[in-house]
Amino acid sequence: MSADARFTHQPGAVLRAGALVAALGVAALVAPLSTLSLAASVIGVVGLAVGLTRHVRLVTGLGAAAVIGAVIATAFAGVAVERLLPAVVGSVLVWEFALGAFTAETELDGGSVERAEFLHVAIVTVVASLVALVAYVTYETLTVGVSLPGAALLVVAATALALGLRD
């Protein structure tokens, strides 16, 4: 094996790693809060790990959906917004990175694409964090009550719509 062959990057590898790290972060945030969140988190992380390592889009999508389900179950359990917003951001990152890995695999030929993937991970993480910060500031400054499960479902619906329009 030549030195060049050992260090060839597989397109989507950075995005796959980002999805798994985000899924583990979401699981750490929501799994201890309810039994349903724990079950959905475990199913989601295992589904993502299997789907991303075996390159099966359906299993990966089901794993990402289970992670989102864990966040929704946590929202219905009545968790504080300070814990729910990072979990929502993490679930959005899981979805974006996991399914983005498949797009990267089909669109990129290989070679030196790590920088583009790292840049994608960084930009999406910063943007999602800024959206969460705006949501938190809005939540703190509103004088009317806000339904946390409703807000979580609204964020998930908006994300699904945006991803659907992107394809």
Side-chain angles (χ1 to χ4, degrees):
M1 178 182 279
S2 70
D4 292 334
R6 284 189 317 199
F7 298 111
T8 300
H9 174 74
Q10 294 180 355
V14 174
L15 293 171
R16 286 192 298 271
L20 287 173
V21 168
L24 290 172
V26 170
L29 282 170
V30 302
L33 301 176
S34 76
T35 306
L36 187 57
S37 296
L38 174 64
S41 295
V42 169
I43 290 169
V45 170
V46 169
L48 280 169
V50 170
L52 290 172
T53 56
R54 302 253 184 214
H55 304 282
V56 180
R57 189 179 192 105
L58 177 65
V59 175
T60 303
L62 291 174
V67 170
I68 292 170
V71 173
I72 292 171
T74 302
F76 280 107
V79 69
V81 71
E82 292 83 10
R83 197 161 193 169
L84 184 62
L85 274 176
V88 169
V89 169
S91 66
V92 169
L93 294 178
V94 166
W95 187 268
E96 170 65 23
F97 297 158
L99 298 180
F102 288 99
T103 303
E105 287 175 356
T106 57
E107 291 180 357
L108 303 173
D109 288 330
S112 182
V113 295
E114 303 97 349
R115 183 174 178 191
E117 288 184 40
F118 278 121
L119 187 62
H120 177 83
V121 168
I123 288 171
V124 170
T125 301
V126 167
V127 168
S129 299
L130 288 174
V131 168
L133 179 63
V134 168
Y136 180 71
V137 168
T138 303
Y139 172 79
E140 287 294 322
T141 58
L142 284 178
T143 57
V144 296
V146 176
S147 167
L148 289 180
L153 289 173
L154 182 63
V155 169
V156 170
T159 302
L161 177 64
L163 291 174
L165 292 175
R166 185 182 75 174
D167 291 337

Short mmCIF file of all heavy atoms in Angstrom, two decimals, residues 16 23 36 40 46 56 63 70 86 126 129 151 155 167:
data_model
loop_
_atom_site.label_atom_id
_atom_site.label_comp_id
_atom_site.label_asym_id
_atom_site.label_seq_id
_atom_site.Cartn_x
_atom_site.Cartn_y
_atom_site.Cartn_z
N ARG A 16 -20.06 12.07 8.78
CA ARG A 16 -20.51 10.91 9.56
C ARG A 16 -20.05 11.03 11.01
O ARG A 16 -20.83 10.78 11.94
CB ARG A 16 -19.99 9.61 8.95
CG ARG A 16 -20.70 9.21 7.67
CD ARG A 16 -20.37 7.79 7.25
NE ARG A 16 -18.95 7.59 6.95
CZ ARG A 16 -18.40 7.78 5.76
NH1 ARG A 16 -19.14 8.17 4.74
NH2 ARG A 16 -17.12 7.57 5.57
N ALA A 23 -25.18 13.13 17.90
CA ALA A 23 -26.16 12.19 18.45
C ALA A 23 -25.80 11.79 19.87
O ALA A 23 -26.67 11.70 20.74
CB ALA A 23 -26.25 10.94 17.57
N LEU A 36 -38.75 7.05 27.88
CA LEU A 36 -38.98 7.12 26.44
C LEU A 36 -37.81 7.82 25.73
O LEU A 36 -37.37 7.37 24.67
CB LEU A 36 -40.30 7.86 26.14
CG LEU A 36 -40.76 7.89 24.70
CD1 LEU A 36 -40.90 6.48 24.14
CD2 LEU A 36 -42.07 8.63 24.59
N ALA A 40 -35.43 6.04 22.91
CA ALA A 40 -35.28 6.65 21.59
C ALA A 40 -33.83 7.06 21.33
O ALA A 40 -33.34 6.92 20.21
CB ALA A 40 -36.21 7.85 21.46
N VAL A 46 -27.63 3.88 17.98
CA VAL A 46 -27.29 2.59 17.37
C VAL A 46 -27.67 2.59 15.89
O VAL A 46 -26.89 2.14 15.04
CB VAL A 46 -27.98 1.44 18.13
CG1 VAL A 46 -27.86 0.13 17.37
CG2 VAL A 46 -27.39 1.30 19.52
N VAL A 56 -26.07 2.65 4.78
CA VAL A 56 -27.47 2.35 4.48
C VAL A 56 -28.28 3.59 4.85
O VAL A 56 -28.44 3.92 6.02
CB VAL A 56 -27.97 1.13 5.28
CG1 VAL A 56 -29.43 0.84 4.97
CG2 VAL A 56 -27.10 -0.08 4.99
N GLY A 63 -32.44 6.25 12.34
CA GLY A 63 -31.67 6.62 13.53
C GLY A 63 -31.78 8.10 13.84
O GLY A 63 -31.97 8.51 14.99
N ALA A 70 -36.49 11.43 20.49
CA ALA A 70 -36.04 11.55 21.88
C ALA A 70 -36.15 12.99 22.36
O ALA A 70 -36.56 13.24 23.50
CB ALA A 70 -34.59 11.07 22.01
N PRO A 86 -30.39 23.17 23.41
CA PRO A 86 -29.20 22.48 22.88
C PRO A 86 -29.53 21.11 22.29
O PRO A 86 -28.92 20.69 21.30
CB PRO A 86 -28.28 22.34 24.09
CG PRO A 86 -28.73 23.38 25.05
CD PRO A 86 -30.20 23.55 24.81
N VAL A 126 -22.41 26.66 13.83
CA VAL A 126 -22.50 28.05 14.26
C VAL A 126 -23.88 28.63 13.96
O VAL A 126 -24.48 29.29 14.81
CB VAL A 126 -21.38 28.91 13.61
CG1 VAL A 126 -21.63 30.39 13.78
CG2 VAL A 126 -20.02 28.52 14.18
N SER A 129 -26.46 27.16 16.30
CA SER A 129 -26.27 27.71 17.65
C SER A 129 -26.78 29.14 17.74
O SER A 129 -27.38 29.53 18.75
CB SER A 129 -24.79 27.66 18.04
OG SER A 129 -24.35 26.33 18.05
N ALA A 151 -43.11 24.40 20.60
CA ALA A 151 -41.92 25.06 20.02
C ALA A 151 -40.97 24.03 19.45
O ALA A 151 -40.39 24.23 18.37
CB ALA A 151 -41.23 25.90 21.08
N VAL A 155 -39.83 23.71 15.49
CA VAL A 155 -38.44 23.71 15.00
C VAL A 155 -38.20 22.48 14.13
O VAL A 155 -37.58 22.56 13.06
CB VAL A 155 -37.44 23.77 16.18
CG1 VAL A 155 -36.04 23.49 15.72
CG2 VAL A 155 -37.52 25.12 16.86
N ASP A 167 -33.63 19.66 -1.36
CA ASP A 167 -33.42 18.56 -2.29
C ASP A 167 -34.16 18.74 -3.54
O ASP A 167 -34.52 19.19 -4.33
CB ASP A 167 -33.84 17.22 -1.68
CG ASP A 167 -32.90 16.82 -0.55
OD1 ASP A 167 -31.77 17.29 -0.53
OD2 ASP A 167 -33.34 16.02 0.30
#
